[in-house]
Every structure is written in C-alpha cells, then in structure tokens.
Amino acid sequence: FYFFFLFTFLLLSLLFTISKITSHFSSSALISIGKITRVSISNGVTSIVERTFAYCVSLENITISNSITSIEQEAFYNCSGITAMELPENVTKIGSSAFYNCTGLTTVVLPDSVTEIGRYTFRNCSSLTSVTIGNNVTSIGEYAFYNCDNLTSVIIPASVTEIGVFAFFACD
C-alpha cells in the first residue's frame, strides 16, 4: 500500500523529495514516469538501486545527498534530460549501465570515493564532453564510455590500472 501511495503521488507531482523513506529505493520504483523533472534525495537514503529512475526522460535535475554510497545497475538508464551529474563524496560504487543512454549528459565529475566505473556505465551518452575521474578509481569497465562521440576531455588519474575493452570506443 505504501508504494502504491508513493507511486500515485509521483504521478501527480513534477517535483518531489525523498526523505528517509527507506535505506534504498526498490528496483524499478519510478520506471517510465515521464513527467518528473526534478528529484532531491535527502539524507537517510544510502543506495539508488537497479532501474530506480530508468526511462524518466523528462528528469533534468537531480540532487543526491551525501548519504548515498552506491548507484546500482541502470539506475538512470535512458534519462535523456539529465545534463550534468556531480556525485557526492560518499559514493563508492557506480553499477554497470548506471547512466547508459543519458544522451543529454554533458559533464560528469566522479569523486575520489569512487573506486570502480562499471561496464557500460556511460555508454551512448552522446552529448558527454567532459569527464573528471576521481583519484581512487582503479578500473574503468568495458564499454564504459562507448559511443560518447562528443567526448573531448577525460582526466584519468594514475590510480587507474585497468581499462576494459572498448572503454572509449567510438568516441570520435
């Protein structure tokens, strides 16, 4: 019943704040809700789990609290309205395909707390021009930035010891 109420509320609102609902969202909680334009995740939520915001194509602005430690697989899959993403200092994990096909994304700043960029994480982010990778990342997964054809600036720190196959393929 609680999730039904939450889902109904989200359909009627263009702006919402998630405040200490649970320690994480349930999988696919907001999938395909095209009217959400802004999201603010308050302290208390620790994980954005699999496909939470997938296909929220109107989502343009997201504020992520410092309590978030992980962004799971496909969390923002196909959120084409997001233009910039600056992750808080406590994020340590970014799952595979987390920002796959976020075609509006232009800038990404990954904090030093992140240790690994999963496979396909930023694949098909065709507007992405600039990526700053934190100083503790050791691995960039396969196809991580595949087909980011406007990517002109990537800062890869000395901590990176492994770059997966096709990680930057088709970045013309």
Side-chain angles (χ1 to χ4, degrees):
F1 177 77
Y2 180 74
F3 286 106
F4 174 75
F5 174 77
L6 179 62
F7 183 75
T8 303
F9 174 75
L10 293 175
L11 286 175
L12 299 174
S13 175
L14 295 178
L15 170 65
F16 72 95
T17 300
I18 299 163
S19 178
K20 298 182 182 179
I21 296 170
T22 62
S23 63
H24 65 275
F25 290 110
S26 65
S27 182
S28 303
L30 303 173
I31 194 166
S32 297
I33 300 175
K35 301 282 186 196
I36 297 172
T37 59
R38 184 168 189 261
V39 172
S40 178
I41 301 174
S42 299
N43 283 325
V45 179
T46 59
S47 180
I48 302 173
V49 300
E50 183 176 321
R51 303 191 123 224
T52 300
F53 296 101
Y55 297 99
C56 290
V57 296
S58 297
L59 182 60
E60 296 173 356
N61 183 291
I62 183 155
T63 304
I64 300 174
S65 74
N66 285 330
S67 64
I68 296 292
T69 58
S70 70
I71 297 173
E72 301 295 333
Q73 176 178 326
E74 298 179 354
F76 294 96
Y77 185 93
N78 205 40
C79 290
S80 55
I82 297 174
T83 58
M85 181 61 63
E86 186 168 343
L87 302 177
E89 284 298 324
N90 291 331
V91 172
T92 58
K93 177 184 178 187
I94 303 173
S96 66
S97 304
F99 298 96
Y100 190 115
N101 212 38
C102 290
T103 56
L105 193 60
T106 60
T107 306
V108 173
V109 177
L110 302 178
D112 289 341
S113 56
V114 174
T115 58
E116 180 180 338
I117 299 171
R119 61 190 189 136
Y120 306 105
T121 300
F122 296 99
R123 183 175 178 169
N124 290 344
C125 292
S126 56
S127 297
L128 190 60
T129 59
S130 173
V131 176
T132 303
I133 298 172
N135 290 323
N136 291 316
V137 170
T138 59
S139 174
I140 299 173
E142 59 190 39
Y143 299 92
F145 296 94
Y146 181 93
N147 204 33
C148 294
D149 53 358
N150 284 304
L151 192 57
T152 57
S153 174
V154 180
I155 299 172
I156 300 174
S159 60
V160 174
T161 58
E162 180 181 354
I163 299 176
V165 65
F166 297 117
F168 293 94
F169 187 79
C171 293
D172 298 337

